[in-house]
Amino acid sequence: MKQKILIIEDNEQNLYLATFLLEKGGYEIVAARTGLEGLDLAANVRPAQILLDIQLPGMDGFEVLNRLRKNNALDDVPITAVTSHAMVGDRERCLAAGCNGYIEKPIDPDTFLRDVERHMADSTSEPDNPSSDHGS
Ligand code: MN
């Protein structure tokens, strides 16, 4: 069975690109366009990782992160913040709020899958797999 990744992202272009790259990498994508929808799906889907846009309308990513981290059922689920390169200080705020990793926008198609998988491996303590072929 494919591992599921929940993407919480309001920007259609970013969502499309992230979905395309991760599906190509063999993952099943569950998408949420708002924080509330993301919280709901996170609890129901139990994804292998959550990718969280910080600039969301209404409830922003920090609030979503806080709420996700209050749900003990999701303790084992790595959360990777995805936010703009320009937002100085977001990285520290995200890590302080309990995210496991951080990816900067714009999404780089050449490194995105690897970065997502690295954050997945970090928090599950699985060794890197040098034989995996992401380049093809
Ligand atoms: Mn956004």
Side-chain angles (χ1 to χ4, degrees), residues 28-79:
E28 182 178 336
I29 301 307
V30 180
R33 266 86 170 174
T34 67
L36 274 180
E37 193 187 352
L39 290 169
D40 192 43
L41 285 171
N44 288 311
V45 169
R46 298 195 46 80
Q49 182 172 172
I50 298 169
L51 295 180
L52 175 63
D53 176 28
I54 294 299
Q55 284 92 39
L56 290 168
M59 187 193 300
D60 76 6
F62 292 112
E63 178 63 20
V64 178
L65 189 53
N66 283 329
R67 295 196 190 193
L68 287 170
R69 279 300 172 235
K70 280 183 187 149
N71 183 347
N72 293 335
L74 300 174
D75 278 354
D76 295 338
V77 181
I79 302 172

Side-chain angles (χ1 to χ4, degrees):
M1 204 171 94
K2 287 183 180 179
Q3 284 190 296
K4 290 183 183 135
I5 296 177
L6 170 62
I7 304 177
I8 307 174
E9 168 66 78
D10 65 306
N11 179 285
E12 287 299 328
Q13 274 182 301
N14 287 331
L15 181 57
Y16 180 86
L17 180 58
T19 300
F20 172 79
L21 294 168
L22 296 176
E23 282 182 345
K24 204 171 143 200
Y27 297 94
E28 182 178 336
I29 301 307
V30 180
R33 266 86 170 174
T34 67
L36 274 180
E37 193 187 352
L39 290 169
D40 192 43
L41 285 171
N44 288 311
V45 169
R46 298 195 46 80
Q49 182 172 172
I50 298 169
L51 295 180
L52 175 63
D53 176 28
I54 294 299
Q55 284 92 39
L56 290 168
M59 187 193 300
D60 76 6
F62 292 112
E63 178 63 20
V64 178
L65 189 53
N66 283 329
R67 295 196 190 193
L68 287 170
R69 279 300 172 235
K70 280 183 187 149
N71 183 347
N72 293 335
L74 300 174
D75 278 354
D76 295 338
V77 181
I79 302 172
T80 300
V82 183
T83 192
S84 168
H85 169 67
M87 300 301 284
V88 178
D90 271 6
R91 180 192 179 92
E92 288 69 26
R93 270 185 87 188
C94 291
L95 294 171
C99 79
N100 303 75
Y102 182 93
I103 294 175
E104 280 186 354
K105 287 186 205 176
I107 290 170
D108 181 345
D110 292 330
T111 58
F112 185 70
L113 176 63
R114 204 185 322 150
D115 285 345
V116 169
E117 290 187 325
R118 184 162 51 83
H119 293 143
M120 197 119 66
D122 278 348
S123 60
T124 55
S125 306
E126 282 169 14
D128 284 346
N129 180 4
S131 68
S132 64
D133 180 14
H134 302 313
S136 60

